C-alpha cells in the first residue's frame, strides 16, 4: 500500500536524524572518536538497515535503496542551498554556532561539560545537544559550517511523509492528502529558520511527526513503523529543546487517555512499555547531558531556564508593553497583533486580514518573529477555522460527524498546548498552533457537499498565501544578507581583513576562514587602525575597508 511506503520513508528520515545524533553520542561517551564526517556514512547505513527490517521480505532491498536515494538527495539539495546562504540570525550565530564549531573542533561534552574559549560556553554546556551533534557531523564531512543547516530537512521530510501516510491510510484523495501533508509540514516557523541554526522549526516538524504517528496508532492500528516513528520523534524532541519534554509529555498523556478509552488493553501495555523506555533513554541516557548533568551541577534538570539559578531569557526579549502582563494578554497580542519583531516597539492589536499587515514585511526577515509569528493572515485563518468547524459540527451526521469530532479533539489539544505554554505568545515556542486551521481545512475539503469543500479549499488557499508571503520575505532577506557579506569579502582578496568582533566571534571567524580570508582581530572598534571602521552586516562586528591604508587614512587609531 502507498500509505505503508510513505510511512517507511517518513521513518527513514527520522532514523537518519536519530543516527546522526546517536552515532556521535556513542562515540563521545565511549571515547572512540570526536564528532567526524564518517559518522554520516554510518548513519546512512543504519538507516538503510532499519528501513529494510520494517519492509516486507520481498521489498527490503527496494525500500532501503529508495530511502537512501530520498535522504541523500534531500541532504544534497539542502546542503547546497545552506552552503550558499549565510546564517544571519542572532541565536544561530551565538550559542548554536559555538556548540557546532566546538564539537567539530574536538570538544567532548561528556569529558568537559563546557567548551573552552567560546563566549556562550555556559549556554552550550546546559542546553540539549541533538541538533548540534547532527550539524557538526555534516560540517566535518563537507568542511562548511553552513551545510550543517541541511539537517533541518530530515525532520521536515519525516513529518511530511508520516502525515501523508496517515491521510492516505484514512482514505483521502491523493491530491488532498498531498496538499494537506505539505501544508501541515510547511510550518512558517520552519520556513524562517531553515536557513539558520535555530531549532524551533525542527521542533515544529518533530511535533507533527509525533502527532501523525500517534494518530496512526489510535485511528488505524499499532504498527512497527508508527510506534518507531513516535518513539524517535519524542526522543529527538526531548534532546532538541527543553520544551520537548513539555510536548512529549502532553502527546503521551493524550495518547494514553485515548487508548484507555478505546479499551485496547494489549496495545496500551505495549505502548506504555515502549514509550516508557524511550523517555528513560531520552532523558537519562542520551539526554544525560544536559538533564542529569544539570541536576548534578545546578540542582535542576532544566537549568538555566528553571531552578534557583534561573536566567530570564524571555522578559528582555518581549515587546515592552507585554512585560509583566497576563498570559492571556500576551497570547492575544502574539496571535492577533500587528507583525512586529522589535522589542522596544509596543505590540499593537490589529483586526484579522488587515491589508496593512502585508506592508509589515520586515518582521519576517528574521528567524524569530515575535508578534504574528505564524504570518500576517494566520489570525484570520484561525478564526475562520474555528467558525468553520462549529458549522460542520452542527450540520454533519453519522461517520462524517465523527470525523469532524476527531478534528475538533485534535484542535482542542493543540489550542490547549498553546495556551498552557508559559511563552505561548511567541510563535517559535508554540509552532503547533499552525496545525489548527490546517486540520479544519482538511476535514472541510473532504466533505461530500460542494460548499464545504469550497470553504475548506478557500481556507487552505489563505494559509498557502500566508506561507508564500512569509517565505518570500524571509528568502529575500537571506539572499540580500548573503550578497552584502560576499561583496565585502570579495574586496579583501589581496589583503587581510582587520576586524573587531563584539559578538558572534566564533561564527564570524569560521566564516572568514572558509571565505579564504586572512584576518587580524582587534579587541574593540576603537582599536582598529582605520579612522572610520565600517560595520559588518547583521551586527557581526566592525572592519577596516579594503585599501584603507593606501587611501591615505591615518593609521594612529580610530
Amino acid at each position: 500500500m502507498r500509505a505503508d511506503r510513505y510511512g517507511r520513508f517518513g521513518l527513514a528520515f527520522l532514523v537518519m536524524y536519530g543516527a546522526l545524533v546517536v552515532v556521535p553520542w556513542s562515540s563521545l561517551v565511549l571515547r572512540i572518536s570526536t564528532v567526524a564526517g564518517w559518522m554520516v556514512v554510518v548513519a546512512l547505513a543504519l538507516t538503510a538497515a532499519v528501513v529494510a527490517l520494517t519492509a516486507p521480505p520481498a521489498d527490503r532491498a527496494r525500500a532501503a535503496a529508495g530511502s537512501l536515494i530520498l535522504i541523500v538527495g534531500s541532504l544534497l539539495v539542502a546542503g547546497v542551498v545552506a552552503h550558499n546562504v549565510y546564517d544571519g540570525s542572532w541565536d544561530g550565530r551565538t550559542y548554536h554556532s559555538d556548540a557546532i564549531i566546538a564539537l567539530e573542533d574536538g570538544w567532548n561534552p561528556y569529558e568537559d561539560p563546557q567548551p573552552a574559549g567560546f563566549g556562550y560556553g555556559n549556554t552550550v554546556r546546559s542546553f540539549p545537544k541533538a541538533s548540534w551533534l547532527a550539524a557538526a557531523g555534516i560540517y566535518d564531512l563537507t568542511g562548511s559550517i553552513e551545510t550543517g543547516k541541511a539537517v533541518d530537512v530530515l525532520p521536515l521530510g519525516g513529518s511530511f511523509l508520516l502525515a501523508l501516510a496517515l491521510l492516505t491510510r484514512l482514505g483521502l484523495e491523493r491530491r488532498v492528502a498531498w496538499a494537506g501533508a505539505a501544508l501541515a509540514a510547511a510550518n512558517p516557523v520552519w520556513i524562517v529558520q531553515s536557513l539558520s541554526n535555530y531549532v524551533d522549526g525542527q521542533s515544529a516538524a518533530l511535533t507533527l511527526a509525533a502527532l501523525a504517528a500517534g494518530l496512526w496508532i489510535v485511528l488505524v492500528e499499532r504498527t512497527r513503523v508508527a510506534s518507531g516513528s513516535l518513539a524517535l520523534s519524542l526522543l529527538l524532541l526531548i534532546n532538541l529543546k527543553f520544551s520537548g519534554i513539555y510536548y512529549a509529555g502532553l502527546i503521551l498523556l493524550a495518547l494514553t487517555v485515548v487508548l484507555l478509552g478505546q479499551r485496547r488493553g494489549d496495545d496500551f501495555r505495549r505502548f506504555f512499555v515502549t514509550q516508557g523506555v524511550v523517555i528513560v533513554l531520552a532523558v537519562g541516557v542520551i539526554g544525560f547531558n544536559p538533564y542529569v548533568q544539570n541536576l548534578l551541577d545546578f540542582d535542576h534538570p532544566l537549568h538555566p531556564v528553571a531552578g534557583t539559578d534561573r536566567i530570564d531569557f524571555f522578559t528582555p526579549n518581549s515587546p515592552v508593553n507585554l512585560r509583566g502582563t497576563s498570559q492571556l494578554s500576551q497570547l492575544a497580542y502574539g496571535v492577533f497583533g500587528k507583525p512586529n519583531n522589535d522589542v522596544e516597539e509596543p505590540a499593537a492589536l490589529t483586526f484579522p486580514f488587515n491589508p496593512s499587515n502585508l506592508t509589515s514585511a520586515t518582521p519576517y526577515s528574521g528567524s524569530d518573529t515575535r508578534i504574528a509569528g505564524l504570518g500576517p493572515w494566520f489570525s484570520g485563518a484561525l478564526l475562520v477555522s474555528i467558525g468553520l468547524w462549529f458549522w460542520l459540527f452542527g450540520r454533519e451526521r453519522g461517520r462524517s460527524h465523527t470525523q469532524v469530532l476527531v478534528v475538533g479533539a485534535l484542535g482542542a489539544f493543540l489550542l490547549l498546548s498553546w495556551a498552557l505554554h508559559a511563552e505561548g505568545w511567541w510563535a517559535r515556542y508554540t509552532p503547533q498552533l499552525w496545525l489548527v486551521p490546517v486540520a479544519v481545512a482538511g476535514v472541510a475539503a473532504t466533505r461530500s457537499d460542494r460548499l464545504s469543500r469550497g470553504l475548506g479549499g478557500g481556507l487552505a488557499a489563505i494559509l498557502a498565501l500566508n506561507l508564500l508571503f512569509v517565505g518570500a520575505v524571509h528568502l529575500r532577506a537571506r539572499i540580500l544578507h548573503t550578497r552584502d557579506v560576499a561583496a565585502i569579502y570579495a574586496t579583501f582578496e589581496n589583503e587581510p581583513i582587520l576586524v573587531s568582533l563584539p559578538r558572534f566571534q566564533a561564527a564570524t571567524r569560521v566564516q572568514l576562514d572558509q571565505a579564504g580570508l586572512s584576518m587580524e582581530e582587534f579587541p574593540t572598534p576603537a582599536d582598529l587602525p582605520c579612522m572610520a571602521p565600517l560595520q559588518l552586516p547583521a551586527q557581526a562586528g566592525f572592519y577596516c575597508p579594503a585599501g584603507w591604508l593606501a587611501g591615505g587614512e591615518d593609521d594612529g587609531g580610530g
Side-chain angles (χ1 to χ4, degrees):
M1 293 178 63
R2 286 198 310 272
D4 294 329
R5 186 164 63 251
Y6 297 151
R8 280 195 299 274
F9 286 148
L11 174 63
F13 275 83
L14 297 181
V15 171
M16 182 63 189
Y17 195 1
L20 284 174
V21 175
V22 173
V23 171
W25 169 83
S26 303
S27 181
L28 291 170
V29 168
L30 298 173
R31 312 298 196 267
I32 296 172
S33 168
T34 56
V35 179
W38 59 263
M39 296 175 181
V40 178
V41 179
V42 175
L44 285 168
L46 289 173
T47 301
V50 171
V51 171
L53 289 173
T54 61
D59 196 38
R60 284 177 176 169
R62 186 171 67 173
S67 65
L68 288 180
I69 291 171
L70 270 178
I71 291 170
V72 172
S74 298
L75 285 173
L76 282 174
V77 172
V80 169
V81 174
H83 173 70
N84 287 285
V85 180
Y86 287 130
D87 182 357
S89 66
W90 189 278
D91 288 6
R93 291 179 294 162
T94 53
Y95 64 91
H96 288 300
S97 283
D98 278 12
I100 294 167
I101 293 166
L103 285 165
E104 195 274 340
D105 199 38
W107 172 51
N108 186 338
Y110 306 98
E111 286 183 333
D112 182 8
Q114 182 169 324
F118 288 86
Y120 298 87
N122 285 329
T123 308
V124 169
R125 170 186 182 135
S126 299
F127 276 18
K129 298 171 174 60
S131 68
W132 301 340
L133 290 166
I138 295 175
Y139 169 23
D140 191 77
L141 178 69
T142 62
S144 166
I145 188 173
E146 300 293 345
T147 60
K149 298 175 298 191
V151 73
D152 280 62
V153 79
L154 296 176
L156 177 75
S159 65
F160 166 72
L161 287 162
L162 287 168
L164 178 60
L166 174 67
L167 297 177
T168 302
R169 187 64 182 271
L170 291 176
L172 273 69
E173 294 180 25
R174 182 179 297 187
R175 61 183 180 84
V176 176
W178 278 79
L183 204 55
N187 193 295
V189 175
W190 187 92
I191 295 294
V192 300
Q193 293 191 358
S194 58
L195 295 174
S196 76
N197 288 312
Y198 273 78
V199 297
D200 306 289
Q202 294 184 40
S203 177
L206 290 170
T207 301
L208 173 59
L211 289 171
L215 288 171
W216 185 295
I217 291 172
V218 299
L219 296 179
V220 184
E221 61 179 330
R222 190 186 63 83
T223 65
R224 286 186 297 174
V225 169
S227 296
S229 297
L230 176 61
L232 274 170
S233 299
L234 298 181
L235 185 146
L236 289 166
L237 257 178
I238 290 170
N239 283 283
L240 187 73
K241 286 180 67 73
F242 284 140
S243 59
I245 289 184
Y246 170 75
Y247 289 120
L250 284 179
I251 291 170
L252 288 178
L253 178 62
L255 292 175
T256 298
V257 170
V258 173
L259 287 171
L260 287 173
Q262 292 176 330
R263 301 180 185 275
R264 291 164 55 180
D266 289 342
D267 280 346
F268 173 74
R269 282 189 290 272
R270 293 191 184 96
F271 169 83
F272 186 82
V273 172
T274 301
Q275 303 307 326
V277 170
V278 168
I279 296 301
V280 171
L281 287 173
V283 176
V285 182
I286 297 172
F288 183 93
N289 185 327
Y291 294 105
V292 179
Q293 193 72 54
N294 281 342
L295 182 62
L296 295 173
D297 294 343
F298 304 104
D299 299 322
H300 201 292
L302 303 184
H303 173 85
V305 300
T308 55
D309 295 323
R310 175 180 179 268
I311 298 174
D312 184 2
F313 294 102
F314 303 106
T315 299
N317 277 292
S318 305
V320 288
N321 61 327
L322 297 190
R323 300 171 188 175
T325 60
S326 69
Q327 186 163 344
L328 181 61
S329 177
Q330 290 177 339
L331 293 173
Y333 276 97
V335 173
F336 299 101
K338 179 181 178 181
N340 176 26
N341 204 31
D342 185 351
V343 296
E344 298 304 323
E345 179 182 334
L349 293 173
T350 184
F351 58 86
F353 301 121
N354 187 340
S356 68
N357 288 349
L358 295 181
T359 64
S360 305
T362 303
Y364 301 107
S365 61
S367 298
D368 55 1
T369 308
R370 287 158 173 78
I371 303 300
L374 292 175
W377 284 357
F378 176 78
S379 61
L382 180 63
L383 292 177
V384 169
S385 70
I386 293 172
L388 179 55
W389 182 86
F390 277 106
W391 182 72
L392 291 170
F393 177 77
R395 74 191 300 268
E396 298 299 313
R397 297 291 182 270
R399 182 183 178 188
S400 180
H401 189 262
T402 301
Q403 293 170 346
V404 173
L405 271 176
V406 169
V407 168
L410 174 62
F413 170 79
L414 294 169
L415 287 167
L416 186 65
S417 69
W418 162 67
L420 291 179
H421 195 293
E423 306 300 332
W425 63 273
W426 199 345
R428 63 177 288 196
Y429 295 109
T430 53
Q432 73 279 4
L433 188 62
W434 170 256
L435 299 176
V436 174
V438 173
V440 174
V443 75
T446 55
R447 298 309 88 196
S448 59
D449 62 292
R450 182 177 297 179
L451 177 58
S452 296
R453 293 198 301 272
L455 292 172
L459 178 56
I462 291 171
L463 293 168
L465 289 172
N466 181 79
L467 270 177
L468 287 173
F469 177 81
V470 172
V473 169
H474 185 75
L475 181 60
R476 180 178 182 274
R478 297 279 56 79
I479 291 173
L480 291 177
H481 168 75
T482 302
R483 184 198 65 183
D484 292 344
V485 173
I488 292 171
Y489 291 172
T491 64
F492 289 94
E493 292 181 353
N494 301 314
E495 62 180 288
I497 181 171
L498 279 55
V499 296
S500 174
L501 304 175
R503 59 183 70 86
F504 314 134
Q505 293 92 347
T508 306
R509 289 168 191 152
V510 169
Q511 189 180 94
L512 288 167
D513 179 68
Q514 293 181 358
L517 301 181
S518 58
M519 176 187 72
E520 186 176 349
E521 191 170 348
F522 293 79
T524 70
D527 294 314
L528 286 167
C530 52
M531 292 184 63
L534 302 179
Q535 188 168 7
L536 289 166
Q539 305 178 50
F542 297 85
Y543 71 101
C544 289
W548 65 273
L549 190 56
E553 282 197 32
D554 181 5
D555 62 354

